[in-house]
Every structure is written in structure tokens, then in C-alpha cells.
Amino acid sequence: MRAIQFHQFGSAEELYLGNFPTPEPTAHQIRIKVKATALNRADLLQREGKYPPPPGESTIMGLEIAGEVEQLGEKVTKWKLGDRVCGLLAGGGYAEYAIIHEDVAMAIPENLDFLAAAAIPEAFLTAFQALVWIAKLKAGESLLIHAGASGVGTAALQLARLIGAKTFVTASAEKHALCLALGAEQCIDYKTQDFAECIQEWTQGRGVDVVLDFLGASYLERNLKSLGMDGRMVMLALMGGAQAAGINLGTVLMKRLSIHGSTLRARTLAYKTELTQAFMELTWAHFASGSLFPVVDKVFSWEEVVQAHLYMEGNRNQGKIVLSVA
């Protein structure tokens, strides 16, 4: 089969489309003829040699796919040939064929095409895990989402709206219109405004119940200031650094704060299966009705993968970047 690979760790220019062994499904796996995949920050890190796949997983980039069932493992009972599915992978999505366990594949709603469906798994499962499973966000609570116009950000905004929470977001000014359309109550331009001051003003000093963070060290002090009593913060990335000096941990103690770090890629199959099923129970009817939807910023042909990676590196996207796989 053909697959996107890289000559060596480094820049987007190292990416190329070449031959790679076609994966064979095990007893409970299905092989998918991939129609579309989507970009994630993890792909950029893997390309740079900073985020290797978990042991035993495909070395090909790509954490989510949409396509048709092309081959069944000998013990598969949940799918038939030709079924339209999407799903989360630990690797292998940038390819003509990919394998996925039958328990974590999701049937694509009839109203969604492959390009839209490929933009669901990573963003929405990550947001669901963070907000519902970890932070236990409830109706009437308040939430600060950083990178509100990112793939996970746009998913989190919609899930928070579904739950009935009030949301504030940080994003560059040109992305505020999208965030507001997805349910944000207030938007903060992180380039010109101090988000902690804005949160204190808008909540009359109470702070928010939950913070969804991707920046790490550079935002930690202000995140702690933004949280209210018994607040919860979920950290999903460290784009602003991993070492935070000079932080007063008294804030954590006095406010009874909880700080959770979470990744999804290396979780066990049992965890991902339970997560996927819980996610579908809450959301799938809403995807089918159109009240939930993946936000797709731009579609590139997979021959244009270099341009797609550069587009993400430039932080130009509002929502997901999708690759159409020929």
C-alpha cells in the first residue's frame, strides 16, 4: 500500500508518499480502506522525533481515520464488509489501509461524509475524556478553554454546550467569531489580553470551575488564578513548556484545586473501548441530528501533506485539518 512517511526526523519537507507493508488484521480487528484522516499536533511531534508511537503500534503517523471496512478478522462479529466507520488509532492513519479493533470503531452517521467523520475521533474523544471523565463538568458550571478554535477546542465548546456549562475561551482575535458561534460566552485575545484578569472580572472574582489547558508552564500561574474553589484543571499538552518556576503552591492548597495530566494515545484497549462507548452514548444521536458536528477548517489531498503540516505549524486553522486519501 501507499503511506505517508518521512526520510528522517525533522521538518515537514521530510514527508513523502511511498510504499509500506499493508497491515493484516488480527482476530478481532478490521482493516479499513482509508478515505480520510486528520492532522493532530502529535503528528508534528512524531515527525520531529519527539513523540514515538507506543510499543507495537504502527510507525506511520495518523491518529484517526474514516473509511470502509475492507477485511474482517476471523473473530469479528460487529462489522461487515463495506460498513462506513471512523475511529481513533495509536498510529497508522496516513495510509491507504489501517487496522482497528472492532470494539473502538464507530459507525459513521448517514449525514456525515468521510471527510467530516475523520475529524471526529481524536478531537471529540480527547475533549470528552477531559471534560466528562476527568473534570466531571456539570450543567451550570463554568469552563475556560484555551486554544478554543483548535480541533479539541471546537469539540470541547460543543460538548460543554451540550452539558449546559458556561464557557470562556482564549484564541486569537480572528478566531473569536467561530468560538462564539460554537457557544462561547466570552472570548479572550491571548495576544493582547490577560486571560486571568478577564476571568476574574467576568466571574466577579469567583473564578471558573474547570480549565482545559494545552500550554503548561507558560499559563500555569494564571490558570491557578483563574480557577475557583475546588476547581479542576486538565492539562493535555505542554506547548508553553514543561518547567514552571516560581509557582506558589499555596494557591492549590487554599483553593483545594485538582490538577490532572492526561494523554490518550497510549491508553489500553480496554480503556479506549469503554471511553468510545460512553462517548457514543452521549453524543452519537447528536451527530446524527447535526446538533454536534466536526469543524473542518481545510481539506488537503494527502499528496499535499507537506503543505498541510506547514498550515498547522502556522496556527492558521480554525478546527480540524483533514487529508483526503485517494
Side-chain angles (χ1 to χ4, degrees), residues 185-306:
E185 179 158 314
Q186 298 278 3
C187 295
I188 304 160
D189 183 354
Y190 68 90
K191 296 179 180 179
T192 62
Q193 296 174 283
D194 184 319
F195 68 82
E197 293 180 357
C198 292
I199 293 298
Q200 289 297 307
E201 177 184 350
W202 294 336
T203 64
Q204 290 77 51
R206 292 189 302 273
V208 295
D209 298 293
V210 175
V211 170
L212 186 61
D213 180 63
F214 306 88
L215 278 297
S218 63
Y219 274 15
L220 181 56
E221 184 174 12
R222 284 179 289 168
N223 280 336
L224 297 181
K225 181 180 178 181
S226 298
L227 283 165
M229 291 296 293
D230 298 304
R232 296 91 72 194
M233 180 168 69
V234 183
M235 300 178 65
L236 298 176
L238 298 170
M239 294 173 62
Q243 302 293 326
I247 299 300
N248 181 6
L249 294 178
T251 303
V252 178
L253 186 68
M254 297 305 294
K255 289 186 180 181
R256 303 189 297 268
L257 303 181
S258 300
I259 302 174
H260 302 262
S262 182
T263 60
L264 184 52
R265 187 180 192 182
R267 297 278 192 176
T268 65
L269 174 61
Y271 180 96
K272 290 179 181 177
T273 298
E274 187 178 356
L275 179 72
T276 300
Q277 295 307 311
F279 166 70
M280 292 185 70
E281 288 175 11
L282 176 68
T283 67
W284 225 235
H286 296 284
F287 281 109
S289 71
S291 58
L292 285 179
F293 53 91
V295 177
V296 176
D297 176 276
K298 191 166 184 177
V299 177
F300 290 86
S301 166
W302 71 333
E303 286 92 351
E304 301 172 308
V305 65
V306 172

Side-chain angles (χ1 to χ4, degrees), residues 74 132 170 174 193 272 323:
E74 59 183 14
V132 179
T170 61
E174 65 272 16
Q193 296 174 283
K272 290 179 181 177
L323 294 180

